[in-house]
Amino acid sequence: MPRIADELGVFFVLEGSVRKANNELRITAQLIDAAADRHLWSETYDRELKDIFEIQSEIANRIVQSIQSELGIQVRAEIAPKTLTENMSAYELYLKGYATFTQRALPQDVQDSIAYFEQAVELDPNFAVAWQYLAAAYAVMPYYTFRHEDLETYLTRSDRAAKRALELDPELSFPHAIIGGNMTARPPYDVLGGMREYELALEKNPQDTTTLNWRGINLGMAGYFEEAQETLQKCVDIDPQYVNCLVQLRDVEFYLGGTEQIDDILEERYISYPTSVDVEYYLARGN
């Protein structure tokens, strides 16, 4: 646990499990002081699925209270729950879509994520976060089919879904990055406008790794390799397991004259993610 915490750059680690039977949930959670490798707090929750957002808030507040009482750290006010949707079937579909999208390696993965997100927003048309990731899945689909005729079709769908997400929740950051990426991908290739959308997204959420990844890609394509390296490195610092971002960082560092360290990391990640066609390609090219 200390090694994991050191790699992630954190003081505390939350671990646990979720078990589901029909609509019943059992959640176990324990907070670990990584430096001392000791448990600060643990608890088990038996709840119904419909209470999932309240459970998340309850667990978060118990962790805050635990840190305060154990270490005397001053913390912010109580964390309020944010209900993403009242439709639990839509929420389950969203979770499946999100997992499939973030682990995508093949065209079928993106197609499956689109199917999950489309079903989620059909069940709950006001599910802003599902619209957001549906927009993202549409946006990347042409790069997995490699058919030019798909580009405008999917980017148009992506723009509509992203704008719908912002209509429902103007505080969302990721739709701005999606719209910005779409602006740079089709004529008239508005790179400056796209960069402004990336900046707006990062103003709202500086920790969004996909936004950082896409911004880094665009900076590299424009020839700003040092700025791209800085952006992609921040992405990897936030999420060391983000293989796609590591691949893009390797490409930028190749142009800057050094890739050995990234090659080693990618080889390690490749073992963990054997279905990643991108990593396979880069390793093959490196050999």
Side-chain angles (χ1 to χ4, degrees):
M1 194 61 68
R3 181 183 61 81
I4 293 171
D6 181 65
E7 182 176 347
L8 295 176
V10 298
F11 294 109
F12 305 99
V13 176
L14 180 69
E15 66 175 1
S17 64
V18 180
R19 297 181 181 181
K20 177 177 177 291
N22 298 320
N23 288 321
E24 300 296 319
L25 289 175
R26 169 162 290 183
I27 301 173
T28 61
Q30 49 191 7
L31 185 68
I32 299 168
D33 178 350
D37 199 11
R38 67 185 180 97
H39 290 81
L40 294 177
W41 161 89
S42 64
E43 192 145 342
T44 299
Y45 299 84
D46 291 308
R47 299 288 192 277
E48 293 184 4
L49 185 61
K50 65 182 178 64
D51 298 324
I52 186 65
F53 300 111
E54 286 77 10
I55 295 170
Q56 292 175 9
S57 176
E58 183 180 352
I59 293 173
N61 282 298
R62 287 298 305 275
I63 293 169
V64 167
Q65 294 165 9
S66 172
I67 293 174
Q68 189 172 29
S69 62
E70 289 286 338
L71 303 179
I73 298 174
Q74 294 299 314
V75 293
R76 62 183 181 180
E78 184 170 308
I79 300 167
K82 182 176 182 179
T83 301
L84 300 180
T85 177
E86 299 289 349
N87 189 314
M88 288 298 102
S89 295
Y91 185 62
E92 287 194 80
L93 287 163
Y94 158 74
L95 292 177
K96 291 178 181 180
Y98 179 81
T100 307
F101 176 74
T102 55
Q103 298 172 21
R104 63 191 182 279
L106 302 172
Q108 189 61 50
D109 298 330
V110 185
Q111 291 171 358
D112 289 344
S113 70
I114 288 173
Y116 286 129
F117 291 133
E118 286 180 337
Q119 292 176 71
V121 298
E122 183 177 355
L123 289 176
D124 182 0
N126 296 319
F127 194 169
V129 175
W131 279 109
Q132 163 180 269
Y133 280 101
L134 177 58
Y138 282 148
V140 304
M141 191 69 231
Y143 305 103
Y144 284 79
T145 65
F146 298 105
R147 291 196 298 265
H148 180 72
E149 60 270 22
D150 287 343
L151 184 65
E152 187 56 40
T153 298
Y154 278 106
L155 295 192
T156 299
R157 294 177 184 175
S158 176
D159 284 338
R160 289 173 180 167
K163 290 174 182 176
R164 175 61 176 159
L166 286 173
E167 288 172 1
L168 294 166
D169 187 352
E171 297 304 312
L172 289 175
S173 65
F174 193 28
H176 291 288
I178 297 165
I179 293 169
N182 294 345
M183 292 170 68
T184 68
R186 55 146 96 82
Y189 306 108
D190 186 0
V191 176
L192 291 178
M195 283 297 176
R196 283 194 291 269
E197 291 293 328
Y198 287 138
E199 295 304 321
L200 180 56
L202 290 172
E203 284 177 12
K204 290 185 174 183
N205 183 6
Q207 303 295 308
D208 190 290
T209 51
T210 301
T211 300
L212 289 166
N213 186 34
W214 290 357
R215 181 178 186 270
I217 292 170
N218 276 270
L219 284 168
M221 291 174 63
Y224 295 96
F225 298 119
E226 292 182 356
E227 292 87 343
Q229 181 188 38
E230 181 181 352
T231 299
L232 292 166
Q233 186 61 58
K234 183 176 181 180
C235 172
V236 173
D237 289 343
I238 295 170
D239 184 358
Q241 300 291 333
Y242 198 153
V243 175
N244 195 351
C245 201
L246 280 164
V247 168
Q248 302 301 331
L249 180 58
R250 184 199 186 279
D251 234 15
V252 168
E253 296 204 347
F254 172 80
Y255 288 107
L256 292 173
T259 63
E260 291 185 6
Q261 182 178 1
I262 302 298
D263 280 340
D264 293 340
I265 297 172
L266 277 173
E267 186 171 0
E268 178 184 344
R269 298 294 183 256
Y270 174 71
I271 295 170
S272 301
Y273 297 87
T275 61
S276 175
V277 292
D278 285 332
V279 176
E280 184 174 13
Y281 166 72
Y282 275 97
L283 289 175
R285 190 178 74 173
N287 291 333

